[in-house]
């Protein structure tokens, strides 16, 4: 595409849209409605294309390149991340334009928000459409952002349809909320370490976010520990809508009762409780961290056959 950058942006967005499917998937919501899901949400596409132009290194002669298939959309931008921006802190780093004058021009044209963090918008768009978060590959010479349209998380989309009406505007459609919710819809608990990794936040900022989620009654902190679970209000709403939620207390109680008599393995807990293997793994890890159980030193130390006993 050889047009001036402003025209090329619009042409590229139009071409991606023409080759995209706005109804790649359809799911039935608990509300009785049916929701179509696009392969690549347009807000995410819009943001990744604008970022590629606004933040690329214009001293390099290589082009912005887009690879699109029915399953993936990859946008290659010449040049690494702007100075001071880390790949593992994209959701926390304030906007740092490599090309301030170009950024101001795009802002005046209404194409970008001058102070926005575009990665937040990408994450929110992908998650609410039941898609994986963007994959970021970067070095000193390029930034590649890849969206994936496979593996629709219809369970998460159905849960959002139930939870959004329970909260004030913007609470659930916040990147921090979405990341925490997606984790807790597949795991029994959220530890502070896991939260820090998911939210790309240091300990102090992570604690502030978790405290906020508790204050809006979306999370509850387990007494005496640095672990959190879905608030009872959320669990009841999801249960009433027949959206499955991990049974954290039932699984935990079964494990604590069983180890009074003999060590247990992950497989034994799964077979006895019917919980998902990941749910059991997370619970065993949580009980180990809090000092309730330990690995049997006379047995395997890795894998599903590890034996857990009372400490």
């Amino acid at each position: 595409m050889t047009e001036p950058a402003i025209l090329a942006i619009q042409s590229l967005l139009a071409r991606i849209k023409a080759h995209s499917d706005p109804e790649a998937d359809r799911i039935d919501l608990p509300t009785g409605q049916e929701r179509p899901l696009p392969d690549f949400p347009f807000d995410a596409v819009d943001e990744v294309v604008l970022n590629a132009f606004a933040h690329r290194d214009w001293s390099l002669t290589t082009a912005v390149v887009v690879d699109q298939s029915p399953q993936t959309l990859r946008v290659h931008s010449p040049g690494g991340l702007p100075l001071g921006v880390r790949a593992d802190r994209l959701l926390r780093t304030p906007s740092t334009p490599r090309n301030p004058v170009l950024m101001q021009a795009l802002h005046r044209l209404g194409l970008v928000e001058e102070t926005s963090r575009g990665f937040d918008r990408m994450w929110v768009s992908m998650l609410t459409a039941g898609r994986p978060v963007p994959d970021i590959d970067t070095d000193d010479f390029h930034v590649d952002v890849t969206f994936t349209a496979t593996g629709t998380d219809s369970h998460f989309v159905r849960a959002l349809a139930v939870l959004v009406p329970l909260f004030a505007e913007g609470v659930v459609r916040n990147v921090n909320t979405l990341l925490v919710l997606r984790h807790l819809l597949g795991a029994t608990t959220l530890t502070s370490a896991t939260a820090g990794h998911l939210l790309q936040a240091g300990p102090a900022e992570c604690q502030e976010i978790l405290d906020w989620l508790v204050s809006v009654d979306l999370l509850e902190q387990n007494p005496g520990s640095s672990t959190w679970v879905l608030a009872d209000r959320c669990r009841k709403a999801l249960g009433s809508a027949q959206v499955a939620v991990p049974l954290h207390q039932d699984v935990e109680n079964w494990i604590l009762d069983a180890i009074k008599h003999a060590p247990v393995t992950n497989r034994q807990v799964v077979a006895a409780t019917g919980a998902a293997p990941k749910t059991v793994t997370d619970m065993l890890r949580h009980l180990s961290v809090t000092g309730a159980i330990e690995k049997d030193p006379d047995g395997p130390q890795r894998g599903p056959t590890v034996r857990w006993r009372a400490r």
Side-chain angles (χ1 to χ4, degrees):
M1 309 181 85
T2 58
E3 303 103 319
I6 298 302
L7 298 178
I9 290 171
Q10 299 304 314
S11 296
L12 181 53
L13 287 171
R15 186 171 295 186
I16 293 172
K17 189 172 183 179
H19 288 81
S20 299
D21 185 353
E23 299 185 8
D25 292 293
R26 280 187 167 273
I27 62 170
D28 294 322
L29 300 178
T31 55
Q33 300 168 306
E34 188 179 57
R35 181 181 169 186
L37 296 176
D39 46 6
F40 310 113
F42 186 73
D43 281 352
V45 173
D46 182 65
E47 198 65 50
V48 73
V49 168
L50 288 167
N51 269 9
F53 277 88
H55 299 298
R56 66 156 292 168
D57 186 346
W58 287 97
S59 68
L60 300 176
T61 58
T62 50
V64 169
V65 179
V66 175
D67 288 329
Q68 182 177 3
S69 76
Q71 291 79 36
T72 60
L73 176 74
R74 181 175 67 90
V75 178
H76 168 89
S77 179
L81 292 167
L83 185 66
V85 179
R86 290 170 44 187
D88 62 344
R89 287 290 186 270
L90 293 173
L91 299 178
R92 300 289 146 222
T93 307
S95 179
T96 311
R98 186 196 306 276
N99 310 294
V101 175
L102 175 59
M103 193 70 173
Q104 291 170 12
L106 293 173
H107 172 64
R108 290 173 183 170
L109 290 167
L111 293 173
V112 300
E113 296 178 21
E114 193 169 13
T115 58
S116 71
R117 291 202 299 257
F119 286 102
D120 291 34
R121 188 179 175 210
M122 292 181 214
W123 257 247
V124 169
S125 298
M126 294 296 285
L127 287 169
T128 54
R131 303 301 183 198
V133 299
D135 178 69
I136 311 297
D137 177 57
T138 182
D139 59 22
D140 291 341
F141 306 102
H142 80 283
V143 177
D144 284 1
V145 181
T146 303
F147 299 153
T148 305
T150 55
T152 307
D153 192 344
S154 56
H155 178 246
F156 184 56
V157 177
R158 294 179 74 246
L160 291 181
V162 175
L163 294 177
V164 167
L166 298 183
F167 295 90
E169 181 69 25
V171 170
V172 176
R173 297 190 186 280
N174 171 283
V175 66
N176 300 320
T177 307
L178 292 169
L179 288 168
V180 166
L181 275 177
R182 192 180 67 164
H183 175 79
L184 285 174
L185 285 170
T188 55
T189 58
L190 174 70
T191 66
S192 55
T194 299
H197 175 72
L198 287 174
L199 303 174
Q200 301 184 1
E205 188 175 11
C206 183
Q207 185 64 52
E208 184 179 344
I209 294 168
L210 293 170
D211 287 346
W212 171 68
L213 290 172
V214 169
S215 73
V216 298
D217 201 22
L218 193 140
L219 293 186
E220 294 174 0
Q221 186 169 5
N222 287 320
S225 72
S226 296
T227 62
W228 290 260
V229 296
L230 277 179
D232 190 55
R233 172 194 185 195
C234 296
R235 299 180 71 87
K236 287 180 177 177
L238 291 168
S240 298
Q242 298 184 328
V243 178
V245 184
L247 301 175
H248 61 89
Q249 200 61 46
D250 292 345
V251 175
E252 179 177 352
N253 288 340
W254 189 93
I255 294 171
L256 294 177
D257 184 62
I259 61 174
K260 293 176 184 177
H261 311 287
V264 298
T265 67
N266 184 302
R267 287 174 178 169
Q268 288 173 323
V269 180
V270 169
T273 64
K278 185 178 185 305
T279 297
V280 173
T281 298
D282 289 341
M283 177 55 68
L284 291 169
R285 185 181 295 115
H286 161 65
L287 291 173
S288 175
V289 169
T290 56
I293 63 175
E294 65 179 2
K295 293 179 181 179
D296 184 344
D298 297 328
Q301 297 300 295
R302 298 186 65 181
T305 57
V306 170
R307 295 194 299 265
W308 295 91
R309 67 183 189 183
R311 177 169 290 181

